[in-house]
Amino acid sequence: MMDAGRHPNITLLTYSEVVEVSGYVGNFQVRVRQRPRYVHTDLCTGCGACAEACVFKRGVPNEYDAGLSRRRAAYIPMNGQAVPLKAVIDDQACLFLSKGKCTQACLEACPTRAIDFSQKERFIDLNVGAIIVATGFEMFDPRRLPAFSYGKSPDIMDGLQFERFSSATGPTRGEILTSRGEKPKRVAIIHCVGSRDEHANRYCSRVCCMYALKHAHLVRDKTGAEVFEFYMDIRAFGKDYEEFYERVQGEGVYFVRGRGAEVIVLDDGRIQVKAENTNLGLPVQIEVDMVILETAMEAPRDSDKVASLFGISRSASGFFQEAHPKLRPFHTNTEGVFLAGACQAPKDVPDTVAHAGAAASEALALLSRGQVVISPTTAVVDEQLCSGCKTCIVLCPYSAISFVEDAGVARVNEALCKGCGTCVAACPAEAITARHFSDRQILAELEALLVPA
Amino acid sequence: MACEEPRIGVYICYCGINIGATVDVEEVVQFAQTLPNVVVARSHRYTCSEAGQEMIRQDIRQLGLNRVVVASCTPRMHEPTFQNVLASAGLNPYYFQMANIREHVSWVVDDPAQATEKAKRLVRAAVARVNFHEPLQPRQESVTPAALVVGGGIAGIQAALTIAEAGYPVYLVERQPSIGGHMAQLDKTFPTLDCST
């Protein structure tokens, strides 16, 4: 993280989103929208004085702590560990920016006068040869499966919230405590929440077994509580993973083979977990004081927008579709656009790093080659015949056809055209030919095919 | 070149037993020899092998072929292979046509007589088409030596660092005000329990 922040060849564009992509392999034009931070990053030292001074004491849920703590409108992201280490003023939360009512104490508090409420969003245009999409995943929201009672008790948390409790930078500075502020005595860990479930996602989310085992270890290590793991199978597939599973078994964790069926919050706040122990063929009901729901990785909600922006498709699970499941797992069907990490499928850290390294090497191969060969099997417009009706322009799935105003005709950008033939079939003036798939060639082929040999 | 008389070579592949066990390859060869503008038709055990490729190259040179049809597997597999054979013998690679008599015939048609009939038709269609092929020239475009990485989690950071280390400029775009992604929220990582940040 720090290395990426200070590498001379890396330009960080944070608080930014790609809004437009045009061009083709080797020559993409990209427009990025950068949201205003209301802070001059060249002046800000990341000291946090603005956050101290921010009058919005109640604040808003802190995303870094998965909502377990609150932050003010002016803040240093990631509890002060942001890269770049710069303050942000959240315009949704800021009383001045959202309601126009605030003493603007942060302005005065800032020792370098870095705060500027007049900042506007800005657009940055980039020219690049290769694009790597590494947009990641979202965690499944357990509210979608009401049987787990997520949200009904502060002691029922999802895996990411547990990570924050256990982290030294988290809201309890790494102590695992129940909502009463005590160490838990009995903890239930429920696997496959939102995965391998036809009511949520059918796929195995791949990482949850291992992080659930890690959570069991951390609970045992930090609190000594009894831990009950409700699992269907343990998928410890990676290097040293099975050994880790055996280690956690040796630490005295109770493994109950059967999906956790229901989490019940009683009127007095006590929590019961119901499941079936499929090894014994018996129903199980235990009382615990903490439940960790090990949720699945999901494709982010706006993946459809990202997919259409970069011209990539999605698999049934919602993750981005690779060009070939085995031989081209980090390519897309748009040349020059590569996939890295969990945006392609759920992945753990080692697999993500490997996938990203491979995507980078593909991008590097393209950049260092310096040249791309553009296939000549494209559509071509006969400008004598084109009536300028623009029918083809809206139909082209690759936005490869543009209208030449002076000449009043359509023209194909051969670098963008994939030769799909949509425009050829649609042109009412028959002015477009698909090279290598001309009518003459196709009709000759058909005539020869349809007569018995 | 486009107006000269087509001189077509047709090559029917056995693909070991993949095609040969179902399609009567020699019957297809004899049939191909009767088609208009076909100068030579031959079979080969593995046309994609170096020996098979050399056979085609020799025929182009010695018999003055200016069109080539190979009936074998899917063009997704070997169309580039055979296009390169044409190019290495001095022919435009777009004077090539492939008939898929493996995925479309021998692997899906059980009856040998029907399979052979279908293979013949596909070969005749490819020959009819290749008559009208025109030479095409691929274009070369230069590459902008910079990369965009979208997403500043562990995947994006890793990719950006690899490219940056190789000396190319990288733009790393992240929606949040800080890079780090989910990884930066984790406590320890399995199975080694090392720190994640």
Side-chain angles (χ1 to χ4, degrees):
Chain A
M1 219 166 100
M2 307 281 274
D3 293 346
R6 60 175 167 237
H7 200 290
N9 286 340
I10 298 180
T11 306
L12 281 189
L13 296 170
T14 50
Y15 228 27
S16 301
E17 281 185 271
V18 175
V19 289
E20 223 177 285
V21 180
S22 60
Y24 50 89
V25 54
N27 296 281
F28 293 104
Q29 290 87 47
V30 180
R31 172 159 274 215
V32 175
R33 181 176 63 219
Q34 188 161 46
R35 290 175 58 187
R37 282 177 176 259
Y38 305 101
V39 169
H40 288 291
T41 48
D42 49 341
L43 296 176
C44 176
T45 59
C47 70
C50 54
E52 284 292 317
C54 179
V55 301
F56 189 24
K57 306 283 186 225
R58 194 170 58 85
V60 293
N62 182 354
E63 11 337 60
Y64 181 61
D65 279 336
L68 295 171
S69 65
R70 298 182 82 83
R71 62 158 174 84
R72 296 180 187 174
Y75 69 109
I76 310 283
M78 293 182 23
N79 297 357
Q81 297 189 89
V83 175
L85 188 61
K86 304 290 172 191
V88 191
I89 297 176
D90 174 352
D91 50 15
Q92 306 280 310
C94 172
L95 298 174
F96 177 70
L97 288 166
S98 64
K99 298 193 176 72
K101 289 178 190 165
C102 186
T103 56
Q104 300 178 33
C106 53
L107 274 181
E108 291 304 313
C110 177
T112 59
R113 305 271 162 192
I115 294 174
D116 176 2
F117 285 113
S118 71
Q119 269 188 1
K120 299 274 179 283
E121 67 177 14
R122 64 183 192 119
F123 291 90
I124 302 152
D125 289 311
L126 307 172
N127 291 306
V128 294
I131 297 176
I132 293 180
V133 176
T135 47
F137 63 96
E138 270 174 17
M139 294 306 283
F140 177 82
D141 181 354
R143 283 181 196 87
R144 279 159 54 194
L145 296 171
F148 293 119
S149 296
Y150 181 77
K152 290 185 185 166
S153 162
D155 295 317
I156 302 174
M157 63 190 76
D158 66 20
L160 201 55
Q161 289 175 322
F162 178 81
E163 293 286 345
R164 297 312 303 149
F165 273 126
S166 184
S167 167
T169 63
T172 57
R173 301 198 179 276
E175 277 197 86
I176 299 167
L177 302 172
T178 66
S179 54
R180 293 179 181 175
E182 299 161 355
K183 284 185 178 179
K185 294 189 177 58
R186 285 154 74 89
V187 177
I189 292 178
I190 300 181
H191 286 228
C192 297
V193 176
S195 60
R196 302 179 71 197
D197 179 347
E198 59 188 26
H199 302 296
N201 295 302
R202 293 186 60 195
Y203 57 83
C204 167
S205 175
R206 200 172 157 91
V207 300
C208 329
C209 277
M210 290 307 296
Y211 82 65
L213 291 172
K214 181 190 74 178
H215 291 172
H217 162 81
L218 290 170
V219 172
R220 292 289 296 154
D221 189 43
K222 292 189 174 187
T223 70
E226 286 187 296
V227 177
F228 298 85
E229 290 232 17
F230 295 91
Y231 72 101
M232 295 202 285
D233 319 273
I234 295 288
R235 297 189 166 175
F237 55 90
K239 183 178 182 181
D240 295 335
Y241 288 11
E242 181 67 18
E243 292 88 333
F244 185 73
Y245 174 32
E246 285 174 13
R247 170 181 168 183
V248 174
Q249 282 177 312
E251 288 170 352
V253 173
Y254 299 110
F255 285 87
V256 183
R257 185 172 179 273
R259 183 194 281 277
E262 197 178 359
V263 178
I264 302 162
V265 182
L266 301 175
D267 290 340
D268 59 4
R270 285 180 299 145
I271 304 170
Q272 285 182 344
V273 177
K274 287 183 175 178
E276 184 190 358
N277 184 331
T278 56
N279 282 343
L280 298 176
L282 290 172
V284 190
Q285 181 173 328
I286 59 161
E287 199 173 303
V288 295
D289 39 24
M290 183 180 279
V291 176
I292 310 170
L293 302 173
E294 306 298 30
T295 49
M297 293 165 91
E298 275 191 329
R301 268 159 292 178
D302 61 351
S303 326
D304 53 338
K305 286 191 199 131
V306 178
S308 68
L309 194 59
F310 295 98
I312 52 188
S313 47
R314 298 166 74 205
S315 359
S317 56
F319 292 98
F320 296 140
Q321 180 77 56
E322 65 282 4
H324 187 283
K326 298 181 184 70
L327 303 176
R328 288 159 63 84
F330 25 81
H331 304 73
T332 68
N333 285 321
T334 300
E335 265 190 276
V337 178
F338 307 99
L339 301 175
C343 65
Q344 181 254 345
K347 278 182 194 63
D348 56 20
V349 173
D351 287 1
T352 296
V353 170
H355 199 248
S361 79
E362 284 297 326
L364 278 175
L366 172 63
L367 297 183
S368 56
R369 201 160 56 231
Q371 298 260 305
V372 279
V373 176
I374 310 285
S375 166
T377 61
T378 59
V380 59
V381 179
D382 183 336
E383 295 186 359
Q384 300 290 312
L385 294 177
C386 176
S387 66
C389 72
K390 302 184 185 175
T391 307
C392 53
I393 292 171
V394 287
L395 289 174
C396 176
Y398 304 99
S399 310
I401 314 179
S402 54
F403 190 71
V404 186
E405 291 291 344
D406 332 340
V409 294
R411 195 169 289 165
V412 176
N413 179 336
E414 292 178 14
L416 290 176
C417 175
K418 303 275 178 203
C420 72
T422 305
C423 58
V424 181
C427 178
E430 296 185 15
I432 314 182
T433 310
R435 290 200 188 102
H436 210 51
F437 293 91
S438 69
D439 286 355
R440 203 165 61 160
Q441 290 165 351
I442 291 171
L443 289 173
E445 194 174 5
L446 281 175
E447 278 167 20
L449 193 64
L450 297 174
V451 185
Chain B
M1 192 84 170
C3 48
E4 77 182 350
E5 203 56 22
R7 292 177 61 78
I8 307 172
V10 182
Y11 302 89
I12 320 291
C13 189
Y14 278 84
C15 193
I17 57 166
N18 272 301
I19 296 169
T22 315
V23 172
D24 186 336
V25 170
E26 293 313 317
E27 195 182 319
V28 181
V29 169
Q30 281 172 22
F31 171 76
Q33 277 161 349
T34 66
L35 298 171
N37 297 331
V38 171
V39 175
V40 63
R42 303 184 200 273
S43 63
H44 199 280
R45 184 62 54 189
Y46 292 105
T47 316
C48 60
S49 66
E50 191 44 53
Q53 295 183 38
E54 187 53 32
M55 166 182 75
I56 299 172
R57 227 174 269 130
Q58 294 267 334
D59 280 356
I60 292 171
R61 293 200 184 105
Q62 287 167 10
L63 304 174
L65 302 182
N66 55 22
R67 305 279 193 285
V68 172
V69 169
V70 173
S72 58
C73 54
T74 165
R76 290 190 66 143
M77 188 94 139
H78 279 309
E79 189 173 48
T81 311
F82 296 119
Q83 286 188 323
N84 286 338
V85 171
L86 268 69
S88 70
L91 269 186
N92 185 286
Y94 289 90
Y95 279 133
F96 173 74
Q97 180 66 19
M98 203 156 177
N100 183 355
I101 61 166
R102 192 179 74 176
E103 281 85 346
H104 288 177
V105 181
S106 63
W107 280 0
V108 290
V109 181
D110 292 329
D111 176 53
Q114 280 187 346
T116 305
E117 163 75 14
K118 189 176 174 187
K120 283 182 187 170
R121 287 209 208 180
L122 285 171
V123 168
R124 187 171 60 190
V127 169
R129 179 192 218 285
V130 85
N131 274 290
F132 297 110
H133 278 201
E134 285 170 20
L136 299 174
Q137 300 300 337
R139 290 192 317 146
Q140 295 243 323
E141 294 267 347
S142 61
V143 172
T144 310
L148 168 72
V149 176
V150 189
I154 174 77
I157 290 172
Q158 176 71 29
L161 280 172
T162 306
I163 296 171
E165 279 294 304
Y168 292 93
V170 183
Y171 301 98
L172 178 55
V173 175
E174 166 58 48
R175 177 146 65 180
Q176 300 299 325
S178 171
I179 59 168
H182 284 101
M183 174 90 178
Q185 291 178 285
L186 305 183
D187 176 23
K188 294 185 165 65
T189 54
F190 62 77
T192 42
L193 298 176
D194 45 355
C195 169
S196 68
T197 40

